[in-house]
Each structure stands twice: as C-alpha cells, then as structure tokens.
Amino acid sequence: MDNYLLKGHILRCKVIPKDEVHPELWVGANRKWRVVPRDRLARVRHNKIRTEDEQARTANRLIKRQNERKRKLAKAGINYDITAVSY
C-alpha cells in the first residue's frame, strides 16, 4: 500500500528489518480491550465532596451571576425579585 491515497494524504509504507524493530513494539497487544466507563468517572467527579473553598467560590459565582441578571433586568425596566428564586 505504498503511495496509497488515503483521505487526501499519501500513505508511505516500508518493510523494517528485524534489527530496527523496537523490542517492546507489540507489548500488550494480546490483551483484551476494556472500555473506559466514562459515565461512572463523570458521576464520581460530579458527586465528589467539595471543600469549603470550592463551595465558597461556587456561591460567589452564583451571587455574581444573580447580581448581573438583576442589573440587566433593571436596565430593561423589568421589576423582578430574583431573591425569591432558590437553588
């Protein structure tokens, strides 16, 4: 398959002599492929216990966003009480 056009690129192939092949080239090739449980990893990452610093930073971000929304609503002339909404 030397000089084979594959997805817009030329594929270059050549035979490598045995003395140039890296000894660990095929290490682990006979192992069965295991799918990474990404949903489980994401769930663990999401549900982890937050530190006090992380909780404070999250609360500050929430308050900052709410103040920005209040400002935009007041600028638009809309009278809305955001503090009545709880999270």
Side-chain angles (χ1 to χ4, degrees), residues 23-34:
E24 296 181 5
L25 178 66
W26 300 111
V27 170
N30 293 329
R31 289 186 2 178
K32 184 177 179 185
W33 176 256
R34 289 185 53 196

Side-chain angles (χ1 to χ4, degrees), residues 6 27 35 38 43 45 54 58 63 67-68 74 81 83-84:
L6 182 67
V27 170
V35 178
R38 297 197 187 279
R43 184 171 47 249
R45 192 177 315 121
E54 289 173 332
T58 303
I63 292 169
N67 290 337
E68 184 67 22
D81 185 22
T83 57

Side-chain angles (χ1 to χ4, degrees), residues 29-82:
N30 293 329
R31 289 186 2 178
K32 184 177 179 185
W33 176 256
R34 289 185 53 196
V35 178
V36 176
R38 297 197 187 279
D39 59 335
R40 189 182 318 151
L41 294 175
R43 184 171 47 249
V44 168
R45 192 177 315 121
H46 179 77
N47 293 336
K48 74 177 183 178
I49 298 173
R50 309 286 181 202
T51 63
E52 293 292 328
D53 185 41
E54 289 173 332
Q55 290 177 357
R57 189 170 46 222
T58 303
N60 289 338
R61 283 186 68 210
L62 179 63
I63 292 169
K64 183 178 176 183
R65 286 184 191 154
Q66 284 181 346
N67 290 337
E68 184 67 22
R69 286 189 191 109
K70 284 182 191 177
R71 187 188 63 74
K72 287 182 180 180
L73 288 172
K75 185 178 178 183
I78 300 171
N79 186 15
Y80 184 73
D81 185 22
I82 292 181

